[in-house]
Amino acid sequence: MSDLLRKLVRRDEEAAMLARLPRPLVFTNGVFDILHRGHVSCLTAARGLGASLLVALNSDASARGLGKGPGRPLNGELDRACVLGALAVVDAVLLFDEPTPLTALARVRPDLYVKGGDYDIETLAETALVRSWGGRALALPYLGGYSTTRLVQSIRDGTA
């Protein structure tokens, strides 16, 4: 399992790990509970916008506070970190406990903040923060038809 977690940024090694990541650094975030095509498409597009991609991952406690439904996340934070870390397009994974990645963004100070097109990038507090140091924020095209919440519901309903 340790090899699967090699991209997980430990708090005590965060500064050194971030210093090794080539710039421009792209930052995105999410729960990534059941990784699906929509997630992978967004992550691949995000990585193509810079020299490295850091994925901030909601911890289990943070994810539970997002109202995604009962029993979520289905996969624990370390399992989700392993799956993300196994993707070649992901250079580093950083867990965060807050409802939003604002604190992590302030520490990392990426060149580019990216979210999927299902978010209005202009209304996110993260956008204002990244722009405060001259960074950019961008919403990537949304690949419709892929949703972990919808997938979980269809499994529970027996329609999957």
Side-chain angles (χ1 to χ4, degrees):
M1 174 107 124
S2 63
D3 191 48
L4 288 174
L5 289 173
R6 67 183 165 73
K7 292 182 185 177
L8 181 62
V9 180
R10 292 183 10 190
R11 196 60 182 266
D12 60 332
E13 297 174 351
E14 183 177 295
M17 170 80 137
L18 293 174
R20 288 192 300 269
L21 291 176
R23 295 285 182 148
L25 173 62
V26 181
F27 182 113
T28 193
N29 65 283
V31 176
F32 302 99
D33 194 5
I34 298 176
L35 197 66
H36 54 68
R37 181 178 173 183
H39 291 139
V40 174
S41 294
C42 188
L43 293 169
T44 301
R47 178 58 175 80
L49 297 171
S52 56
L53 174 64
L54 182 138
V55 178
L57 181 66
N58 291 79
S59 69
D60 291 344
S62 173
R64 281 191 291 275
L66 297 177
K68 299 233 177 228
R72 297 284 304 278
L74 298 172
N75 291 300
E77 59 195 35
L78 291 181
D79 291 332
R80 292 181 286 122
C82 285
V83 170
L84 286 169
L87 299 175
V89 297
V90 174
D91 295 289
V93 178
L94 177 69
L95 280 169
F96 68 97
D97 291 317
E98 301 79 16
T100 69
L102 286 169
T103 302
L105 269 170
R107 286 193 321 267
V108 173
R109 295 177 64 100
D111 303 288
L112 178 61
Y113 175 65
V114 174
K115 286 297 283 182
D118 50 334
Y119 289 86
D120 181 354
I121 199 79
E122 295 303 322
T123 65
L124 298 177
E126 293 89 328
T127 296
L129 179 63
V130 171
R131 288 179 179 163
S132 74
W133 60 73
R136 295 182 311 125
L138 178 67
L140 296 173
Y142 179 66
L143 183 60
Y146 297 95
S147 161
T148 301
T149 301
R150 191 173 357 172
L151 177 60
V152 169
Q153 190 59 49
S154 65
I155 291 169
R156 288 180 174 153
D157 294 345
T159 60

